[in-house]
Amino acid sequence: MIDILNKSNCTGCYACVNSCPVQCITMKEDEEGFEYPTIDMKKCINCNICEKTCPSLNKDLSSNTEAVYAAKNKDDQIRKSSSSGGVFTLIAEYILKMDGVVYGASYDEKFEVRHIRINSLDEIAYLKGAKYVQSKIDTIYQMVKKDLEANKIVLFTGTPCQIAGVRAFLKRPYEKLYLQDVLCHGVPSYKILKKYLDETGFKDIKSISFRDKSIGWQKSLVRIDYKNKTYKQKYSQNPYTRAFSSGAILRPSCYQCHYKNMRYYSDISLSDFWGIENTNSKLYDQLGVSLMFIHTDKGMELFHNIKSFMEYEEVELETAIASNKTAIYGAYKQKNRDVIFEQLDKKSLRWLTNRYVKGSILKRAYNLFHRNCLRILKRG
């Protein structure tokens, strides 16, 4: 049975929960707000299916990268409402127009993030946008399997560890399953997000955007729309996004991520193309540009089916990852990370961020990432 001796080994992917034949595993929050599996020993039948399924205990085969593209949706209105270049929308539209279904992360009424299933174009908006908090999978993998066994085309999107989770649960490849991940920096817990939202002092939240582009893609704002007002703050000044970017509030497993160093388990990985302004690209503008890593024939198939709706250009892998460190290296653990969590119930997030997250720390974290990126590139 699953026994979490070291929290760094558990990504919270829910593969064990979905695989248990007697439903004796539930996810419970720890003091930091991160979920870990808990077993009801009265129901457990010692089948060990959870252990055999866990992607952290049973490494899958990863894919190489076949091609890399800078890309952006030709529809500027779509890009304005997207985190980067609006490529996810094109992939989702293609799947849905083929009478398929799409799974991805969406806010619920409490602004927790959960994976949901959509089957109409109007619902794509629920899945768009960066959500800097770990999403709850619940029993979504079981729904994915049911759709595949009903011969539906399925696009599953999520973090790399969630892609590994659904693959581990399904146990075999499916011809009509497409997997797309995001180049993930790491995930905070909902406890921290809720604390931040409560501390704003406003009620009746209507929407949250951590990447509002009203002053530009690379100068994103945190925007919260309330019933009677709108709150905006620079990303670099917001306590939540500062703590997130610094690596101060992430899940323990994010600091030892198994899904870096050019190991991919998806068909396509998407990211912002940070640094594109330094590549002499004609695609660069302030509405956002996506970076597409294509790993499999299925990923290339998706690319060819949507490329007429994009402006794009192929780029060298080394160029692509030079300013996109999350492609190959896990999150930097800020040295005051544990202190912040210890004081989370006593101090405001703004106070903790101002006290423990310094600009110099962010700079050192970037330099560490950059050095490791270069080292991995040289190793080949």
Side-chain angles (χ1 to χ4, degrees), residues 16-33:
C16 57
V17 174
N18 280 263
S19 66
C20 179
V22 293
Q23 299 178 335
C24 74
I25 304 176
T26 56
M27 299 294 278
K28 297 290 181 66
E29 288 188 4
D30 69 357
E31 63 279 0
E32 296 180 345

Side-chain angles (χ1 to χ4, degrees), residues 243-270:
F244 166 72
S245 298
S246 75
I249 55 173
L250 305 181
R251 187 180 181 96
S253 60
C254 297
Y255 305 114
Q256 300 179 35
C257 181
H258 299 298
Y259 309 104
K260 301 293 182 180
N261 294 338
M262 307 308 294
R263 293 195 295 267
Y264 299 100
Y265 295 78
S266 61
D267 299 303
I268 289 181
S269 298
L270 294 180

Side-chain angles (χ1 to χ4, degrees), residues 89 92-97 118-126:
T89 296
E93 286 176 344
Y94 170 73
I95 295 295
L96 293 171
K97 287 176 181 178
I118 67 168
N119 59 9
S120 71
L121 295 173
D122 292 341
E123 296 175 304
I124 293 177
Y126 295 135

Side-chain angles (χ1 to χ4, degrees), residues 64-246:
N64 296 319
T65 297
E66 296 187 3
V68 185
Y69 293 92
K72 62 184 184 181
N73 197 314
K74 290 180 179 179
D75 187 329
D76 286 350
Q77 292 303 313
I78 297 295
R79 281 204 294 152
K80 286 180 181 178
S81 62
S82 302
S83 295
S84 50
V87 172
F88 163 72
T89 296
L90 292 175
I91 297 174
E93 286 176 344
Y94 170 73
I95 295 295
L96 293 171
K97 287 176 181 178
M98 296 289 288
D99 196 32
V101 296
V102 179
Y103 290 87
S106 173
Y107 288 113
D108 66 13
E109 65 280 357
K110 295 181 180 179
F111 288 94
E112 288 190 78
V113 177
R114 297 179 180 278
H115 260 61
I116 64 170
R117 175 187 188 271
I118 67 168
N119 59 9
S120 71
L121 295 173
D122 292 341
E123 296 175 304
I124 293 177
Y126 295 135
L127 308 186
K128 289 170 61 176
K131 302 171 181 72
Y132 296 144
V133 66
Q134 185 161 28
S135 65
K136 297 177 184 293
I137 293 292
D138 298 321
T139 56
I140 284 292
Y141 298 158
Q142 296 175 15
M143 296 173 64
V144 170
K145 185 175 183 179
K146 184 176 180 180
D147 278 328
L148 291 170
E149 291 182 342
N151 208 33
K152 298 284 287 186
I153 298 173
V154 174
L155 170 66
F156 182 90
T157 69
T159 60
C161 54
Q162 290 170 337
I163 299 297
V166 71
R167 283 179 54 148
F169 168 77
L170 292 172
K171 292 183 173 57
R172 69 175 182 86
Y174 284 82
E175 181 182 352
K176 294 188 175 182
L177 173 64
Y178 296 87
L179 300 171
Q180 178 255 303
D181 66 358
V182 293
L183 296 186
C184 180
H185 168 67
V187 289
S189 69
Y190 175 65
K191 177 180 179 178
I192 306 169
L193 176 60
K194 185 177 186 304
K195 179 180 179 66
Y196 165 68
L197 294 176
D198 289 344
E199 288 174 1
T200 63
F202 302 126
K203 297 181 179 180
D204 301 318
I205 299 175
K206 294 174 62 179
S207 65
I208 300 172
S209 173
F210 289 114
R211 297 285 303 283
D212 179 81
K213 295 180 180 177
S214 56
I215 63 170
W217 165 51
Q218 293 173 313
K219 300 178 181 179
S220 298
L221 300 174
V222 176
R223 172 176 175 154
I224 304 175
D225 289 313
Y226 300 89
K227 184 176 182 180
N228 297 315
K229 63 179 71 178
T230 295
Y231 165 87
K232 291 184 180 181
Q233 188 175 27
K234 289 183 178 179
Y235 185 100
S236 60
Q237 296 176 356
N238 181 270
Y240 186 81
T241 50
R242 282 184 64 206
F244 166 72
S245 298
S246 75

Side-chain angles (χ1 to χ4, degrees), residues 11 14 23 35 48 93 104 108 225 244 252 268 270 273 285 298 304 308 319 326 329 334 339 342 352 365:
T11 66
Y14 275 76
Q23 299 178 335
E35 293 187 324
N48 291 323
E93 286 176 344
D108 66 13
D225 289 313
F244 166 72
I268 289 181
L270 294 180
F273 196 158
D285 63 23
K298 280 186 178 180
H304 284 302
S308 62
T319 299
T326 54
Y329 203 69
Q334 211 257 50
V339 176
E342 288 169 5
L352 291 168

